[in-house]
Amino acid sequence: MDWRIGWVPFSALLAAQTAQAQSVGYEEALAAVRGEQPVLEAGALRVQSRREAAEAADELPDPRVRAGIMNLPVTGPAAFDPDRQLPTQIAIGIEQEIPNLARRRARFGVASSEVRLAEARLGMAERILLADAGTAWVRLHYAQARLHLAQGALDELRAFVPVANSAVASGSARPAESLAIRRELLGIEDAITAIEAERDAAQAQISRYVPLADPVALGAAPSAVLDQERLRFELESNPEILLADAERGRAEAGVALARAEKRPDFGVSATYGRRNPDFGDAVSIMGSITLPIFTDRRQNPRIAAAESEAAAASAEREDRRRALVAGFEADLATWRSTVRQWERARDELLPLARDRADLETASFAAGRADLVDVIAAKSALALLELEILEREQAAVEAAVRLRLTYGESRP
């Protein structure tokens, strides 16, 4: 059985619509998300900035130039004369701080973790946009299908109005029957109004990703079938988990940096001093080393704080994993429910409604039923067909969101 109710002339409707609007396919909409999206561009720029910063993370600090007058007398006969005494000199020198190797590696580790964190956030942003764009396209696709079906049903019911008016005029039908027909028409018209609002909302959402003023969804809808085991297997590589891993990695890099503070840093300096020519110029070379001797009050508290942050990041990672699995199972249960409801309506309710409409039409032709009964049966059939499309949309939309949220990033 073809479950796409009333879709045979749907392509003709879309061909007429594309004369005033531009069409977009499902995969085209997803490709547009991966293209020029401001939030993704911002994320890519942040990744680039983190990478550039990481390149210089383990470099030595800039050298420092020192200059001045040393041992200048300020009293006595040699006061303020730099050339009268031996110790006095005009000196210029350069010094270089040399952090310990563990500190430099830890700084690079922190910078690298910032790169991975920015990449994970970019992946999360892309996944969210893909899911939103995919479901928006599905809503637009089915709004167009339901609108086409409702318009056809309304035209069919309107064709009975002259027949009903003639029957009332001839006295073969009660005047109240014309009111009943109008009530059925109003029910279809209300449905059309609601569907048009859904279509406009979906078009506005699609226009965020695809630069079209009045987009039309063209092509077949994505499948409602899912590979549940594959999706469950791919949860560990989900961007949500990758983001938690990146945050844990950053916290662990902070622990390594805190521990590196317990190791001594070094420094070296060279100074050239100009003195009285009678004494000759002088050169000084000095080395230095830090003495982390009060670790209990300085380094150890920082290390403990960093370790606590790392432990918290690990706990948050596990919490995110559990939340992701729970959300996946809940969304999977919703998908199963929508598929069953759609199949039940399509395979059981729809044949009954069609049989009723056919029987009422045959009875009316044989003079054993009133026209209002035929119209009520056809109206109920049209509303059921619209409901089946709604259920089908819910099943497809749930499948699309599951694939794009929990599956691979590509469609």
Side-chain angles (χ1 to χ4, degrees):
M1 179 185 296
D2 187 1
W3 45 266
R4 290 176 172 81
I5 308 300
W7 281 24
V8 176
F10 189 39
S11 59
L13 173 68
L14 287 182
Q17 288 179 328
T18 51
Q20 293 82 25
Q22 292 177 286
S23 62
V24 57
Y26 174 71
E27 294 191 11
E28 183 183 354
L30 297 185
V33 171
R34 297 185 178 94
E36 298 180 359
Q37 300 298 324
V39 64
L40 298 184
E41 182 180 357
L45 290 173
R46 288 192 179 94
V47 171
Q48 181 181 351
S49 70
R50 301 297 189 276
R51 286 175 178 167
E52 292 173 349
E55 293 178 358
D58 61 344
E59 294 294 323
L60 292 176
D62 291 333
R64 182 178 301 169
V65 175
R66 302 176 64 182
I69 300 177
M70 301 174 62
N71 301 316
L72 177 67
V74 295
T75 61
F80 300 104
D81 187 347
D83 294 328
R84 292 285 300 274
Q85 291 186 355
L86 173 63
T88 303
Q89 57 182 295
I90 299 175
I92 183 170
I94 186 170
E95 62 179 308
Q96 175 67 62
E97 295 180 0
I98 306 176
N100 66 76
L101 185 58
R103 185 192 297 272
R104 293 172 60 189
R105 288 177 176 173
R107 286 176 178 173
F108 182 76
V110 171
S112 298
S113 68
E114 291 289 345
V115 174
R116 291 190 293 272
L117 188 59
E119 290 174 341
R121 286 172 176 166
L122 177 59
M124 276 289 297
E126 183 183 44
R127 183 62 62 96
I128 293 172
L129 290 184
L130 284 172
D132 289 346
T135 53
W137 189 94
V138 170
R139 294 189 191 106
L140 178 58
H141 178 87
Y142 281 97
Q144 293 171 176
R146 285 156 50 213
L147 187 60
H148 173 60
L149 192 152
Q151 290 285 5
L154 185 62
D155 292 340
E156 183 180 4
L157 290 179
R158 281 174 175 168
F160 287 99
V161 173
V163 179
N165 292 336
S166 298
V168 171
S170 64
S172 59
R174 293 177 290 108
E177 292 187 9
S178 62
L179 299 178
I181 294 173
R182 180 57 185 160
R183 182 184 60 198
E184 300 295 343
L185 291 176
L186 287 174
I188 302 297
E189 289 173 353
D190 284 345
I192 290 176
T193 300
I195 295 170
E196 287 176 340
E198 295 177 18
R199 179 200 59 192
D200 294 343
Q203 284 179 327
Q205 187 68 14
I206 287 290
S207 297
R208 175 188 175 185
Y209 310 107
V210 184
L212 301 176
D214 192 17
V216 171
L218 192 61
S223 173
V225 179
L226 289 177
D227 187 343
Q228 302 179 43
E229 294 307 317
R230 180 179 178 182
L231 288 175
R232 191 173 282 108
F233 175 77
E234 291 174 350
L235 286 179
E236 285 299 323
S237 60
N238 189 272
E240 185 76 25
I241 298 299
L242 297 181
L243 178 60
D245 286 339
E247 291 176 346
R248 183 176 62 180
R250 182 179 61 177
E252 291 173 348
V255 174
L257 182 60
R259 288 174 177 170
E261 293 182 0
K262 296 184 74 172
R263 299 189 179 186
D265 295 327
F266 305 91
V268 62
S269 64
T271 304
Y272 177 83
R274 188 190 68 80
R275 300 188 299 182
N276 185 313
D278 294 337
F279 303 114
D281 295 344
V283 173
S284 299
I285 299 177
M286 300 290 291
S288 64
I289 183 172
T290 61
L291 299 177
I293 57 178
F294 299 104
T295 56
D296 289 341
R297 289 184 293 175
R298 295 175 181 171
Q299 287 81 11
N300 288 346
R302 297 192 186 100
I303 294 173
E307 289 175 342
S308 297
E309 287 292 337
S314 295
E316 289 177 350
R317 195 267 187 195
E318 176 61 20
D319 182 71
R320 287 190 180 186
R321 187 194 66 80
R322 294 182 183 183
L324 182 69
V325 172
F328 169 74
E329 295 297 341
D331 291 345
L332 200 61
T334 300
W335 167 76
R336 292 195 194 99
S337 175
T338 57
V339 169
R340 289 169 184 165
Q341 292 179 42
W342 164 45
E343 291 175 343
R344 186 178 299 113
R346 179 195 66 189
D347 299 336
E348 299 179 24
L349 296 180
L350 182 60
L352 295 176
R354 283 177 173 170
D355 290 343
R356 177 195 172 192
D358 292 341
L359 292 173
E360 292 290 357
T361 301
S363 298
F364 175 72
R368 295 194 299 270
D370 295 330
L371 180 61
V372 69
D373 297 326
V374 176
I375 294 175
K378 288 187 174 294
S379 176
L381 175 60
L383 292 176
L384 178 60
E385 289 176 339
L386 290 175
E387 181 182 349
I388 291 174
L389 280 180
E390 289 179 2
R391 295 188 181 191
E392 179 186 337
Q393 173 187 337
V396 173
E397 189 173 331
V400 165
R401 186 165 289 279
L402 276 164
R403 277 195 294 267
L404 295 179
T405 301
Y406 302 103
E408 296 181 351
S409 60
R410 60 180 183 272

